[in-house]
Amino acid sequence: MAKILNIIKKNLLMAFKLLWQFKWYICPYLLFYVILLMFYISPSPKQYNIWMNKEWFTYNRQTYVALTELMLIIFALLFLIGTSNMRNHPLLAKLIFLSSLFFGAVFLEII
């Protein structure tokens, strides 16, 4: 039993060391995810600004909540893809984590 606990402790330590190397890539991604989560918790027409300048735009709360939920699922899966590629494909993992800066700019209409 002690041997299994030592192996688990060693693997957790290695995982945290690997995550710590990517801290400047993971932190903006987590911040973006928290912003998306806040949009999901408190839906507002002001936050649905991707299509706001189009003449066919209408705000529908159910559609907004469903799209935000879908984005939360997609970005959670992207996070898992990024973390699974940190060891063997670090450049791909960095690109996935830094994609949050682009999507954050698009969703917050900074660009």
Side-chain angles (χ1 to χ4, degrees):
M1 185 69 172
K3 185 176 181 180
I4 294 173
L5 288 176
N6 286 336
I7 291 172
I8 291 172
K9 187 191 292 185
K10 180 182 172 186
N11 286 338
L12 283 175
L13 185 63
M14 288 175 50
F16 282 121
K17 282 183 182 179
L18 186 61
L19 283 172
W20 187 252
Q21 293 173 359
F22 283 81
K23 67 181 175 276
W24 296 115
Y25 300 98
I26 293 175
C27 286
Y29 197 89
L30 293 177
L31 178 67
F32 169 71
Y33 198 79
V34 167
I35 290 170
L36 267 181
L37 194 58
M38 289 188 322
F39 284 175
Y40 180 72
I41 291 171
S42 62
S44 167
K46 295 176 184 175
Q47 297 164 346
Y48 197 66
N49 58 10
I50 297 174
W51 310 111
M52 194 169 284
N53 295 330
K54 306 295 182 189
E55 60 276 354
W56 48 265
F57 170 76
T58 56
Y59 176 77
N60 185 351
R61 187 178 179 114
Q62 289 82 12
T63 306
Y64 174 79
V65 170
L67 285 174
T68 308
E69 185 177 343
L70 182 64
M71 286 190 293
L72 284 170
I73 292 169
I74 289 171
F75 285 109
L77 292 174
L78 274 176
F79 182 77
L80 292 176
I81 290 171
T83 55
S84 67
N85 284 307
M86 285 191 311
R87 183 168 288 132
N88 296 329
H89 306 287
L91 183 61
L92 178 64
K94 290 175 184 178
L95 286 174
I96 289 172
F97 293 138
L98 289 178
S99 70
S100 68
L101 298 175
F102 171 74
F103 288 115
V106 169
F107 293 148
L108 299 175
E109 207 171 283
I110 295 172
I111 307 177

